[in-house]
Amino acid sequence: VEEVGFLLSNYDLKRLESYANNIVDHHIVLDLVPTLARLYFTNRLPIPLSFTQAAVLLGVGLQLRSIDDLAAALRLEPRQLLANFNKALVRISKLLRALREAEAAKELPTKRKVHAEPLSRSLADNLETDAKAAAQNRTEQAEARV
């Protein structure tokens, strides 16, 4: 997680999440793909990808090929490659989000067990006793002034 924090900013991760949620086009995240591909192919992103997804990640991320060039080389339709590219980045985005959430959960305070005992007297009794004590206190203060 620390390594991802050094390589990708929060803004980069937000862009990746936006692409994974189909909010933005793939052109918005193309600059992140070389870093993600390097992390994946050095086994620092433990996610399973299909061969086609890994091939797209390799071609776009490490060989810096365009989708059209890669489609011609792999003899696949560009739409198929984009679909596999999207699936790969969705998986990576989910993993990175889970890693960040786990890291944030470590920093949260742990739950404390609260020991509650029943009251010896009811709240109504406490209120009545305190009201009588306050009234007597006011009476004493009034007599002291006179």
Side-chain angles (χ1 to χ4, degrees):
V1 175
E2 284 183 23
E3 188 174 6
V4 172
F6 290 127
L7 297 174
L8 300 170
S9 68
N10 284 335
Y11 178 71
D12 293 336
L13 294 172
K14 284 289 186 188
R15 286 189 296 149
L16 186 61
E17 285 182 19
S18 294
Y19 177 72
N21 293 329
N22 294 320
I23 296 172
V24 297
D25 193 34
H26 74 280
H27 295 97
I28 302 297
V29 295
L30 280 179
D31 63 314
L32 305 176
V33 178
T35 303
L36 297 173
R38 214 173 305 115
L39 288 170
Y40 175 75
F41 287 108
T42 55
N43 295 322
R44 290 184 270 175
L45 287 179
I47 53 168
L49 294 180
S50 70
F51 292 118
T52 310
Q53 292 169 354
V56 174
L57 197 58
L58 174 72
V60 174
L62 298 179
Q63 296 176 350
L64 303 177
R65 291 184 174 194
S66 70
I67 295 291
D68 294 328
D69 292 342
L70 195 57
L74 295 175
R75 296 185 186 136
L76 293 171
E77 290 290 320
R79 284 180 293 174
Q80 286 178 311
L81 284 182
L82 279 174
N84 281 293
F85 180 73
N86 183 285
K87 286 179 184 176
L89 290 188
V90 165
R91 285 186 178 177
I92 291 171
S93 175
K94 285 181 180 178
L95 173 72
L96 294 176
R97 182 180 183 94
L99 290 174
R100 285 188 319 186
E101 287 175 355
E103 187 68 24
K106 288 179 186 176
E107 296 175 7
L108 292 176
T110 57
K111 291 182 180 177
R112 295 183 305 166
K113 181 147 181 137
V114 177
H115 181 68
E117 295 180 13
L119 297 174
S120 59
R121 298 185 316 177
S122 71
L123 289 177
D125 289 343
N126 278 344
L127 183 62
E128 187 177 324
T129 303
D130 289 345
K132 287 179 183 175
Q136 184 177 354
N137 192 12
R138 278 193 307 260
T139 306
E140 290 174 1
Q141 286 178 354
E143 288 175 1
R145 284 187 218 145
V146 174

